[in-house]
Amino acid sequence: LVGLNVTRKAKQPSWFSKSFAEYLISNYCTCDTIVDPFAGWGTRNDAAVSLKKTYIGCDLNPELVKWHESNNRNIVCQDAIDFKYTGECSVLTCPPYGDTEIYFEGQQILDECSWFDIIIKNIPNAREYVLVCHKVSDKYKPFIVETKENKSHFGANTEYVLLVPSTFNETI
């Protein structure tokens, strides 16, 4: 992440650590299956596995997914816009931060809350949606349960943890 920040490929990547993911799963996810439409580097996968949960993820980067496959991670290559899961689960994810996380040319750029709308439609049977982001629209502000401040020599980063109930998908 630091390398991406220095090269400006990703101006403000999420600081998602395994311990943070374990904390979120332990405190907010009520299902034994964790679904993540933005698997990224796999820290949420590793946290779910260490907590004896089933992890189902996808990522758009085919090279990264090949690496995940070689490490026996359950992450498929698919665009989150088309990724659907209809089983009972808890969603834990952190979508790209709009135009601050651009990893390749032609990447779909949406704000985090637009991604949330897509996730909630595509994964309708989640018990809850645990979403981490750095900008929150008014529609999602009532669901903020935590604010996380990250500081380093690169600057400060504020992220919000949202806990969106399963009943919210009926309003989208």
Side-chain angles (χ1 to χ4, degrees), residues 74-95:
N74 190 22
I75 298 171
V76 298
C77 189
Q78 191 169 3
D79 189 330
I81 289 174
D82 302 318
F83 179 75
K84 296 187 183 342
Y85 184 80
T86 57
E88 187 176 53
C89 65
S90 293
V91 170
L92 172 61
T93 198
C94 181

Side-chain angles (χ1 to χ4, degrees), residues 8 19 48 59 81 83 119 129 132 135 140 147 150-151:
R8 289 298 185 216
S19 62
D59 197 87
I81 289 174
F83 179 75
I119 292 165
Y129 304 87
V132 178
K135 292 181 184 174
Y140 286 99
T147 301
N150 300 299
K151 294 180 183 175

Side-chain angles (χ1 to χ4, degrees), residues 98-111:
D99 64 353
T100 63
E101 284 186 298
I102 302 197
Y103 298 105
F104 57 90
E105 190 174 320
Q107 176 181 328
Q108 180 83 15
I109 298 175
L110 296 173
D111 64 78

Side-chain angles (χ1 to χ4, degrees), residues 93-150:
T93 198
C94 181
Y97 285 0
D99 64 353
T100 63
E101 284 186 298
I102 302 197
Y103 298 105
F104 57 90
E105 190 174 320
Q107 176 181 328
Q108 180 83 15
I109 298 175
L110 296 173
D111 64 78
E112 294 120 292
C113 293
S114 295
W115 281 119
F116 295 163
D117 291 344
I118 292 167
I119 292 165
I120 291 169
K121 279 184 183 177
N122 289 351
I123 308 172
N125 295 320
R127 288 185 189 169
E128 63 277 319
Y129 304 87
V130 181
L131 312 166
V132 178
C133 62
H134 83 292
K135 292 181 184 174
V136 183
S137 69
D138 289 341
K139 175 168 76 173
Y140 286 99
K141 281 184 180 174
F143 304 110
I144 296 172
V145 292
E146 292 190 42
T147 301
K148 183 172 174 61
E149 294 282 334
N150 300 299

Side-chain angles (χ1 to χ4, degrees), residues 13-14 17 24 40 50 55 63 78 126 139 152 155 161-162 164 171:
S14 170
S17 68
L24 294 174
S50 73
Y55 179 89
E63 292 174 13
Q78 191 169 3
K139 175 168 76 173
S152 75
V161 177
L162 284 66
V164 179
T171 65

